[in-house]
Amino acid sequence: MTRRRRALVLGALGATLLVAVLAWHPWAGYTVPPRGVEESTPAEASGPAPVPAIIWPYGTPDDGPWADDEWVLALRQFDLLTAAANYHHDYSDPRLTAFASEQSLQSRAVGAFNAALGARDPDHRLFRPITYRPGPRPLVVLAVEPGKIGATIRVCVPESWGATSTDDVHDPPDTGIVRRWEMYRTPTGDIWPTDPHPEVSRGGGTTPCDLSRVRFGYFDPAPPYGEAVDPGTVIGPDGTPVAPISSGTGSA
């Protein structure tokens, strides 16, 4: 085989391999917008669990072709409200009921109650500090796949996004994993996200994805890391304190 023909064959093989790689990677076909300059969004003035101010080091999220997509907007709003509820230990914001059932919100509130209960005594053998979200979940939208009663949103997110102290807070990693949110519309017209689940790659395990240009934000002021929280101050979706599990009023 001549050198020229060998070069042509190798070039064709390389092009085929490139196409295969692009077809496999979950972020293929969409270029994540570049990062911008620092921005901030103000805190809400009122409400049972107002959203704190947020500092965005590289600008507010840019969802590109899905910036106005109703499913993506609903997902981001639900994530923001649940992060605020985690921040305040209060799940009574009526806006949350547009995205989840009262039973689901009660389960989250009971989880917060148990976390506060387990963090009361640093000397206890089962002591575990409360985990807070430093801010809204960093995510890059990869695709929106419409269905008969809703849509599936494929996103790239950090494998975990939580901290128990200021020392735990760090920028998201450059590589995340793909998760899928199933979204569906209720008979009343609300959009409810189900719990996300990791996408499994062809070789098994989670599917990696590129987070190097994600736009993320931090609550300002930061959550009360390390501070004691009275379990009796954790508020459920009905606006009342969450009762102890032993009372039979709630379960995880």
PDB file of all heavy atoms in Angstrom, residues 17-29:
ATOM      1  N   LEU A  17     -14.127   6.907  13.571  1.00  0.00           N
ATOM      2  CA  LEU A  17     -14.000   6.833  15.012  1.00  0.00           C
ATOM      3  C   LEU A  17     -14.533   8.093  15.677  1.00  0.00           C
ATOM      4  O   LEU A  17     -15.213   8.042  16.696  1.00  0.00           O
ATOM      5  CB  LEU A  17     -12.538   6.609  15.399  1.00  0.00           C
ATOM      6  CG  LEU A  17     -12.237   6.547  16.904  1.00  0.00           C
ATOM      7  CD1 LEU A  17     -12.998   5.379  17.537  1.00  0.00           C
ATOM      8  CD2 LEU A  17     -10.744   6.402  17.136  1.00  0.00           C
ATOM      9  N   LEU A  18     -14.243   9.257  15.078  1.00  0.00           N
ATOM     10  CA  LEU A  18     -14.707  10.527  15.636  1.00  0.00           C
ATOM     11  C   LEU A  18     -16.222  10.580  15.654  1.00  0.00           C
ATOM     12  O   LEU A  18     -16.846  10.992  16.640  1.00  0.00           O
ATOM     13  CB  LEU A  18     -14.148  11.700  14.825  1.00  0.00           C
ATOM     14  CG  LEU A  18     -14.606  13.104  15.247  1.00  0.00           C
ATOM     15  CD1 LEU A  18     -14.175  13.376  16.686  1.00  0.00           C
ATOM     16  CD2 LEU A  18     -14.044  14.151  14.305  1.00  0.00           C
ATOM     17  N   VAL A  19     -16.850  10.137  14.548  1.00  0.00           N
ATOM     18  CA  VAL A  19     -18.309  10.131  14.477  1.00  0.00           C
ATOM     19  C   VAL A  19     -18.890   9.215  15.546  1.00  0.00           C
ATOM     20  O   VAL A  19     -19.870   9.541  16.215  1.00  0.00           O
ATOM     21  CB  VAL A  19     -18.782   9.685  13.074  1.00  0.00           C
ATOM     22  CG1 VAL A  19     -20.300   9.438  13.090  1.00  0.00           C
ATOM     23  CG2 VAL A  19     -18.427  10.734  12.042  1.00  0.00           C
ATOM     24  N   ALA A  20     -18.239   8.046  15.722  1.00  0.00           N
ATOM     25  CA  ALA A  20     -18.722   7.096  16.733  1.00  0.00           C
ATOM     26  C   ALA A  20     -18.622   7.680  18.129  1.00  0.00           C
ATOM     27  O   ALA A  20     -19.525   7.528  18.952  1.00  0.00           O
ATOM     28  CB  ALA A  20     -17.918   5.793  16.644  1.00  0.00           C
ATOM     29  N   VAL A  21     -17.501   8.364  18.413  1.00  0.00           N
ATOM     30  CA  VAL A  21     -17.318   8.962  19.733  1.00  0.00           C
ATOM     31  C   VAL A  21     -18.347  10.052  19.972  1.00  0.00           C
ATOM     32  O   VAL A  21     -18.968  10.139  21.035  1.00  0.00           O
ATOM     33  CB  VAL A  21     -15.887   9.527  19.876  1.00  0.00           C
ATOM     34  CG1 VAL A  21     -15.782  10.371  21.139  1.00  0.00           C
ATOM     35  CG2 VAL A  21     -14.871   8.391  19.910  1.00  0.00           C
ATOM     36  N   LEU A  22     -18.581  10.887  18.946  1.00  0.00           N
ATOM     37  CA  LEU A  22     -19.550  11.964  19.097  1.00  0.00           C
ATOM     38  C   LEU A  22     -20.957  11.417  19.286  1.00  0.00           C
ATOM     39  O   LEU A  22     -21.768  11.979  20.018  1.00  0.00           O
ATOM     40  CB  LEU A  22     -19.498  12.886  17.877  1.00  0.00           C
ATOM     41  CG  LEU A  22     -18.255  13.776  17.779  1.00  0.00           C
ATOM     42  CD1 LEU A  22     -18.290  14.569  16.482  1.00  0.00           C
ATOM     43  CD2 LEU A  22     -18.153  14.719  18.963  1.00  0.00           C
ATOM     44  N   ALA A  23     -21.255  10.298  18.624  1.00  0.00           N
ATOM     45  CA  ALA A  23     -22.579   9.696  18.770  1.00  0.00           C
ATOM     46  C   ALA A  23     -22.763   9.109  20.160  1.00  0.00           C
ATOM     47  O   ALA A  23     -23.868   9.080  20.699  1.00  0.00           O
ATOM     48  CB  ALA A  23     -22.769   8.612  17.712  1.00  0.00           C
ATOM     49  N   TRP A  24     -21.666   8.648  20.771  1.00  0.00           N
ATOM     50  CA  TRP A  24     -21.768   8.028  22.093  1.00  0.00           C
ATOM     51  C   TRP A  24     -21.866   9.045  23.207  1.00  0.00           C
ATOM     52  O   TRP A  24     -22.645   8.908  24.122  1.00  0.00           O
ATOM     53  CB  TRP A  24     -20.548   7.128  22.325  1.00  0.00           C
ATOM     54  CG  TRP A  24     -20.573   6.512  23.686  1.00  0.00           C
ATOM     55  CD1 TRP A  24     -21.247   5.399  24.074  1.00  0.00           C
ATOM     56  CD2 TRP A  24     -19.907   6.988  24.863  1.00  0.00           C
ATOM     57  NE1 TRP A  24     -21.042   5.133  25.408  1.00  0.00           N
ATOM     58  CE2 TRP A  24     -20.225   6.097  25.921  1.00  0.00           C
ATOM     59  CE3 TRP A  24     -19.076   8.076  25.137  1.00  0.00           C
ATOM     60  CZ2 TRP A  24     -19.732   6.264  27.204  1.00  0.00           C
ATOM     61  CZ3 TRP A  24     -18.589   8.236  26.423  1.00  0.00           C
ATOM     62  CH2 TRP A  24     -18.927   7.343  27.425  1.00  0.00           C
ATOM     63  N   HIS A  25     -21.069  10.099  23.130  1.00  0.00           N
ATOM     64  CA  HIS A  25     -21.022  11.047  24.238  1.00  0.00           C
ATOM     65  C   HIS A  25     -22.363  11.737  24.425  1.00  0.00           C
ATOM     66  O   HIS A  25     -22.975  12.210  23.475  1.00  0.00           O
ATOM     67  CB  HIS A  25     -19.932  12.105  23.995  1.00  0.00           C
ATOM     68  CG  HIS A  25     -18.596  11.672  24.518  1.00  0.00           C
ATOM     69  ND1 HIS A  25     -18.360  11.460  25.842  1.00  0.00           N
ATOM     70  CD2 HIS A  25     -17.429  11.408  23.880  1.00  0.00           C
ATOM     71  CE1 HIS A  25     -17.098  11.093  26.019  1.00  0.00           C
ATOM     72  NE2 HIS A  25     -16.526  11.034  24.839  1.00  0.00           N
ATOM     73  N   PRO A  26     -22.851  11.830  25.651  1.00  0.00           N
ATOM     74  CA  PRO A  26     -24.169  12.401  25.913  1.00  0.00           C
ATOM     75  C   PRO A  26     -24.257  13.882  25.627  1.00  0.00           C
ATOM     76  O   PRO A  26     -25.332  14.413  25.455  1.00  0.00           O
ATOM     77  CB  PRO A  26     -24.381  12.119  27.409  1.00  0.00           C
ATOM     78  CG  PRO A  26     -23.002  11.972  27.968  1.00  0.00           C
ATOM     79  CD  PRO A  26     -22.202  11.338  26.864  1.00  0.00           C
ATOM     80  N   TRP A  27     -23.126  14.580  25.590  1.00  0.00           N
ATOM     81  CA  TRP A  27     -23.200  16.014  25.323  1.00  0.00           C
ATOM     82  C   TRP A  27     -22.911  16.342  23.861  1.00  0.00           C
ATOM     83  O   TRP A  27     -22.720  17.490  23.489  1.00  0.00           O
ATOM     84  CB  TRP A  27     -22.232  16.783  26.225  1.00  0.00           C
ATOM     85  CG  TRP A  27     -20.794  16.382  26.092  1.00  0.00           C
ATOM     86  CD1 TRP A  27     -19.878  16.868  25.222  1.00  0.00           C
ATOM     87  CD2 TRP A  27     -20.104  15.397  26.872  1.00  0.00           C
ATOM     88  NE1 TRP A  27     -18.670  16.253  25.402  1.00  0.00           N
ATOM     89  CE2 TRP A  27     -18.771  15.352  26.407  1.00  0.00           C
ATOM     90  CE3 TRP A  27     -20.478  14.567  27.908  1.00  0.00           C
ATOM     91  CZ2 TRP A  27     -17.820  14.491  26.955  1.00  0.00           C
ATOM     92  CZ3 TRP A  27     -19.525  13.722  28.442  1.00  0.00           C
ATOM     93  CH2 TRP A  27     -18.227  13.687  27.977  1.00  0.00           C
ATOM     94  N   ALA A  28     -22.854  15.297  23.009  1.00  0.00           N
ATOM     95  CA  ALA A  28     -22.591  15.534  21.588  1.00  0.00           C
ATOM     96  C   ALA A  28     -23.744  16.298  20.962  1.00  0.00           C
ATOM     97  O   ALA A  28     -24.898  16.135  21.322  1.00  0.00           O
ATOM     98  CB  ALA A  28     -22.416  14.197  20.868  1.00  0.00           C
ATOM     99  N   GLY A  29     -23.427  17.136  19.996  1.00  0.00           N
ATOM    100  CA  GLY A  29     -24.446  17.859  19.256  1.00  0.00           C
ATOM    101  C   GLY A  29     -24.894  19.140  19.924  1.00  0.00           C
ATOM    102  O   GLY A  29     -25.704  19.869  19.371  1.00  0.00           O
TER     103      GLY A  29
END
